[in-house]
């Protein structure tokens, strides 16, 4: 891996690389060759074409530095003039090779699985075919001449380029941020442009530039064999062909075009090296932000009244086959409120949150009677990026490793708020400072891998703060972090809420975290909310046997490390497995006949609580046989 100075911009790195001996050599060679290609035919075109029957097949002299050919034309002038055609055809073939290779290389990640496999297998077979034979085979098919040779050489480069791109793409496509982008519904084309290509750019550019040197040699070879450029046109290969039979008489005339091929080939190799060192992994330009989308603060939207920010009624997430992972939940989140959503994995808590953010992965389908955010129907008017921020478990999932953190943040403001590039960059630094990232100006120029785990999560929270979030949905935001960092991130979330007045929907399997941060807790089981209670009642006064069991499974400071923690026997039902009764019944110690027959609905349980249970803890159970006593006490008795 070439050395990267991530603190300086690409221009600085390029400047620095160009000041190294290899950089100076490459730059000088490129400029020289370009100059010769542009000016050569202009200055020496006539001299190279002038036939002089008095000076046929002469050796080198003051008048003819490399001698003359069989028509008395100046060979030195012809070598110089041939530069333009040679380079033009080489670059043309390279465009075909690189373009074709990129297309075939990226295709398996974009097209369907079957076609993708077919493409991969075809590329594999072609790569296994000896390159030179393949080239000659193509040259024979396309016939003698410049066009045929360009096509043959270009197409011969496609399989190795495609193989390289396929391998690189496969490694990038398996990464979390691509999976996250997929979950976020990023389209295939955007996925390729935004996530795949930037992350494979560096090795691809290096390969393509160096392969161009190979193309030059291959093309010259075809011309030398008489399969490429045909008279009266001439490139270096053709000149070599014409002069080789006189190599013992006038060696310079034959060696000059050969040397031109070798030196220019080396130049491409060096140029590739310099580009790779300067960090070919360049961020693509952000799309021009749509102007005039700045939300008008005076335009107060209609609300659902009573300070309700989010209102969802009968929210369902259905997958093909009719499997419902979220089975008709209803919830309100007040402005500024912190609500915890807890439950075992598979309970539907993450999907419920994704449904609010309009991020349910394909082929999941979201339906709801009501789905309102700040008075707007979320289905018509998704709010992600402006008023709704998401924080995921793995911060790397939300950050593209190829882009500088500051740039990624700035894009949110550019795309969603119509900010200019400079405004976006300034706000990014400001937001990084707000989440207490030290030296934010410097950190903004770094890439995610230069951040620690906790700092990345801070950066993701900062990304959420690029808009003016009214709701932050945090899905297991601290699970991937170590304990000390968890605390910092939780403190930060609390601070952010205080400063911005945003509401928080915190999804967690960790009741201790929820108890620390939230005002209210929603407990989910088998795609439904089974209890809605204030956090103060969570640890001691939960009414649903499932909530009780969850609380019983949490270790406390006083738990003897030697004692076994309570676990909930059995497993939650899969979507589609829920029958007519209470879905918790098979695992519930309080279950009665009624529980197996009919599912309880969420209904009021005191002034500020709801529970979905026929025999909630804290009431006399039907039949009066079960005392109003704690579930934990029952379980241990
Ligand atoms: S309804 Fe019955 S089975 Fe379901 S949680 Fe309540 S007591 Fe247990």
């Amino acid at each position: 891996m070439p050395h990267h100075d991530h603190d300086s911009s690409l221009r600085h790195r390029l400047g620095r690389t160009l000041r190294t001996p290899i950089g100076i050599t490459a730059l000088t060679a490129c400029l020289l060759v370009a100059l010769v290609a542009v000016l050569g035919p202009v200055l020496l075109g006539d001299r190279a074409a002038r036939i002089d029957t008095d000076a046929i097949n002469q050796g080198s002299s003051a008048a003819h530095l490399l001698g003359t050919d069989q028509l008395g034309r100046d060979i030195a002038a012809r070598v110089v003039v041939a530069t333009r055609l040679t380079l033009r055809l080489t670059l043309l073939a390279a465009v075909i090779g690189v373009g074709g290779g990129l297309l075939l290389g990226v295709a398996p990640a974009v097209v369907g699985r079957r076609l993708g496999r077919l493409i991969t297998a075809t590329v594999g077979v072609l790569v296994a075919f000896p390159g030179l034979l393949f080239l000659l085979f193509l040259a024979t098919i396309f016939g003698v001449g410049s066009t045929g040779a360009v096509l043959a050489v270009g197409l011969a480069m496609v399989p190795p380029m495609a193989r390289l791109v396929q391998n690189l793409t496969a490694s990038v496509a398996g990464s979390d941020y691509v999976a996250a982008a997929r979950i976020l519904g990023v389209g295939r084309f955007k996925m390729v442009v935004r996530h795949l290509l930037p992350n494979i750019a560096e090795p691809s550019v290096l390969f393509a530039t160096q392969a161009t040197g190979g193309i030059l040699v291959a093309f010259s070879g075809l011309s030398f064999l008489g399969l490429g450029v045909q008279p009266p046109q001439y490139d270096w290969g053709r000149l070599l062909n014409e002069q080789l039979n006189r190599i013992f008489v006038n060696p310079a005339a034959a060696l000059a075009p050969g040397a031109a091929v070798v030196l220019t080939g080396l130049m491409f190799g060096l140029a590739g090296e310099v580009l790779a060192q300067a960090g070919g992994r360049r961020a693509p330009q952000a799309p021009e932000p749509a102007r005039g989308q700045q939300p008008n603060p005076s335009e107060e939207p209609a609300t659902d009244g009573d300070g309700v920010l989010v209102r969802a009624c009968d929210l369902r997430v259905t997958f093909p086959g009719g499997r419902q992972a979220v089975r008709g939940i209803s919830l309100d989140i007040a402005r500024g409120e912190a609500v915890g959503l807890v439950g075992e994995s598979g309970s539907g808590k993450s999907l419920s949150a994704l449904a609010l953010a309009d991020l349910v992965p394909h082929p999941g389908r979201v339906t709801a009677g009501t789905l309102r955010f700040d008075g707007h129907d979320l289905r018509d008017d998704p709010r992600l990026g402006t008023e709704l921020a998401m924080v995921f478990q793995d911060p790397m999932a939300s950050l593209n490793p190829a882009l500088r953190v500051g740039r990624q943040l700035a894009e949110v403001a550019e795309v969603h708020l119509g900010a200019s590039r400079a405004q976006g960059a300034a706000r990014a630094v400001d937001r990084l400072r707000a989440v207490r990232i030290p030296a934010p100006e410097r950190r903004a120029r770094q890439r995610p891998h230069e951040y620690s785990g906790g700092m990345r999560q801070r950066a993701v929270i900062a990304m959420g703060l690029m808009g003016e979030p009214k709701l932050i949905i945090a899905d297991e935001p601290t699970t991937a972090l170590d304990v000390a960092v968890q605390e910092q991130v939780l403190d930060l979330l609390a601070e952010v809420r205080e400063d911005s007045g945003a509401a928080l929907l915190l999804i967690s399997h960790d009741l201790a975290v929820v108890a620390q941060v939230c005002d209210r807790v929603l407990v989910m089981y088998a795609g439904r909310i089974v209890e809605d209670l204030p956090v103060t009642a969570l640890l001691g006064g939960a009414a649903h046997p499932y909530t009780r069991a969850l609380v019983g499974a949490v270790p406390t400071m006083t738990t003897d490390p030697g004692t076994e923690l309570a676990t909930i026997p059995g497993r939650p039902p899969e979507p589609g497995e829920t029958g007519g009764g209470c879905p918790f019944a098979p695992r519930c110690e309080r279950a009665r006949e009624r529980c197996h027959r009919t599912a309880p609905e969420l209904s009021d349980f005191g002034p500020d609580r709801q529970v979905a249970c026929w025999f909630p803890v804290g009431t006399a159970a039907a039949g009066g046989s079960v005392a109003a006593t704690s579930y934990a006490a029952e379980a241990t008795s």
Side-chain angles (χ1 to χ4, degrees), residues 181-397:
R182 236 177 233 139
I183 289 172
L184 296 182
V186 173
R188 287 176 175 185
F189 179 73
K190 197 169 175 198
M191 178 85 74
V192 168
V193 173
R194 196 90 194 91
H195 294 280
L196 296 183
L197 291 185
N199 286 299
I200 64 170
E202 183 176 316
S204 300
V205 166
L206 176 63
F207 180 82
T209 319
Q210 291 181 336
T212 306
I215 284 183
L216 171 69
V217 175
F219 197 89
S220 302
L222 284 185
S223 286
F224 173 72
L225 292 174
L227 296 169
V229 172
Q230 299 299 309
Q233 286 188 311
Y234 54 97
D235 65 346
W236 289 333
R238 183 82 220 166
L239 291 179
L240 195 60
N241 167 299
E242 288 168 3
Q243 298 306 316
L244 196 68
N245 54 0
R246 294 180 58 232
I247 192 162
F248 296 113
V249 185
N250 183 11
L255 290 179
V261 169
V262 171
L263 290 176
T264 313
L266 276 177
M267 176 202 80
F268 280 117
L270 277 182
E273 195 59 41
V274 168
L275 282 179
Q277 282 192 16
R281 253 180 9 169
R282 187 161 17 159
Q285 296 296 304
E288 265 302 297
R291 305 282 162 193
Q293 288 181 355
Q294 190 86 35
N296 182 355
S298 65
E299 200 180 272
E300 191 58 40
T303 67
D304 286 298
D306 303 334
V308 173
L309 178 67
V310 178
R311 170 156 292 166
C313 295
D314 197 23
L315 179 68
R316 292 170 191 273
V317 179
T318 313
F319 286 91
R323 287 177 304 116
Q324 283 200 354
V326 177
R327 302 186 299 133
I329 66 166
S330 297
L331 61 89
D332 279 359
I333 300 173
R335 290 173 194 281
E337 189 183 24
V339 177
L341 197 52
V342 302
E344 291 165 289
S345 55
S347 59
K349 55 189 193 304
S350 289
L351 274 176
S352 303
L354 288 175
L356 294 180
D358 195 25
L359 291 178
V360 168
H362 179 79
R365 201 165 53 85
V366 177
T367 53
T370 305
L371 191 54
R372 295 178 77 74
F373 182 94
D374 205 13
H376 297 271
D377 194 316
L378 270 174
R379 290 161 291 194
D380 306 333
D381 190 8
R383 294 285 156 143
L384 190 63
T386 51
E387 297 179 345
L388 200 161
M390 286 288 299
V391 181
F392 290 106
Q393 176 176 341
D394 177 5
M396 270 317 250

Side-chain angles (χ1 to χ4, degrees), residues 544-546 582 584-585 588 590-592 595 600 612-616:
H544 198 285
Y546 176 61
C582 170
F584 190 54
C588 182
R590 297 172 73 90
R592 303 292 181 83
C595 305
C613 175
W614 294 128
F615 311 115

